Amino acid sequence: MKIRVGYHFDGGSFPGELGHSDAAEGVVTTGPLGLVSILETRLGIVGRHYGQPVRIARYLAAAEGCCRTGEPFYKKSFKADGWSAARSLLALRDQLRLSGWDGDDPGGSARLADMAALEKVADVLPGLAERIEDVLGTLGTYGISGISKIVVHGHELGDWPSCWRRLFDALGEKGISFEVKLPEAGAGGASDLETLHKRLCDVGDGGMFQDDGSIVRLVASTALEAADALGAWLGAKENPEGDIVLVAESGVEVLDAAMCRYGLPRLGGGSRSQWRAALQLLPLGLGIHWDPFDPQRYLEFLTAPICPLHPAMAGRLVHALEQAPGLGGEKWRDAVSKSEEWARSQADCDTLLEDLRFWTEMKRVSPHIGLEVETISTICLRLSDWAAKGTQDREGKMMGAVSGMALELAAAVRETGRKAIPKPQLDRMLDSVIGAGASIADRSEAAPWAVLSHPGQLGGSADTVI
């Protein structure tokens, strides 16, 4: 097997495994995460994979203990926003481990001493650095077969973090050869593009810019305007000559809409917005448990397309809230009674009645006191089961992602070691779990151009880069 590795190649690359070569067996293009996964498989290691929110929650519990017993440098930040502070500390810790830090205090730095103290008490769930250490430990005892060569793109081996350099050395000792491919500036230097390339690669001064059109900057007021201009330009090129690469770091959904308007293939590389109805299942399901009762929030829950309550029952409750926005009144009791009567007439009456009681008889608590961890876990598990039932419909992948998010949040709250989670911290945890949306790309369509999400994924020459 020949492996092509680039620091940003986990999300794709150009050119692909073959580039412009003929088909060949055993050629893989991947990034750091993919390389570690391949090595774990080859060595028979069961990879330890944990979601980042769960790792943050475990680290938060340890940092909280350090703040109670001492005065670490992050104490004020932790008091103001514990979750965000723990997330930043864990990111710093992971970077230190990848850079060769062993967790001890080398002296000379008060902050590093605080990090070392935290490392001693924190039972940190393994990240990428720990997975590399597992591979190194196994390589020290056993050999590895099936990999003949690793081609590293974009950076010299010595430019990679310390943990990676140790891994490359260990693989080299096992007989795996390495080749480094760096971006090369053209020899001519006659165009603005070559001038820019030479300056970026520190190959001389590159000369002066001539405004020859080899670099074009398009300025637009909005992303929609820019996408429309790009769609029009691509649509005018009936038979594109040479390779075209689009680097779309964001706004892919806007580009997809523009492509459709001009009859061009969709890129299909975007994530789903966190505000989609399916991704609001968790925030809505948890949000209706806060005191005082918020009828608007409850209406949003009941009218959501993915409401766990059957539409026949949810509709009656919505009508009652519209007439009398409150709980326990005559209208509300009548709506609940009619919903129960309807549920008993159905074949799955036990399930329907249980759903009705769970979502109408919940205990509400003050946002400052917080929801009990057991309550959050129960809600998350219930919503996860509900979302998992919807994986067969047209939003199947999305509902599957929502089910996984709910399970991840349930695991994260348990790792905090707290009995209750206040609303501000729970909102932060939801942000970490849901993020910018589910990483589910729409289906891309066959196109004469390649689509990348990061400039570092460009591992070769292309005629046009957008």
Side-chain angles (χ1 to χ4, degrees), residues 336-356:
V336 172
S337 177
K338 289 182 178 179
S339 296
E340 290 176 345
E341 183 180 349
W342 175 85
R344 291 190 182 97
S345 66
Q346 305 301 309
D348 55 344
C349 63
D350 291 340
T351 301
L352 293 171
L353 287 171
E354 184 184 358
D355 288 341
L356 179 65

Side-chain angles (χ1 to χ4, degrees), residues 18 20 311 390:
L18 302 178
H20 300 289

Side-chain angles (χ1 to χ4, degrees), residues 232-261:
W233 182 78
L234 289 172
K237 298 174 72 67
E238 296 183 1
N239 298 302
E241 296 181 359
D243 297 318
I244 298 178
V245 177
L246 277 73
V247 183
E249 297 184 79
S250 62
V252 177
E253 296 84 359
V254 178
L255 273 176
D256 275 347
M259 295 296 188
C260 289
R261 284 197 297 273

Side-chain angles (χ1 to χ4, degrees), residues 307 309-316:
C307 178
L309 274 176
H310 193 283
M313 297 188 293
R316 290 181 171 87

Side-chain angles (χ1 to χ4, degrees), residues 48-65:
R48 298 178 291 169
H49 305 275
Y50 296 92
Q52 196 68 359
V54 181
R55 299 184 69 232
I56 295 171
R58 174 77 66 89
Y59 211 60
L60 179 143
E64 189 172 32

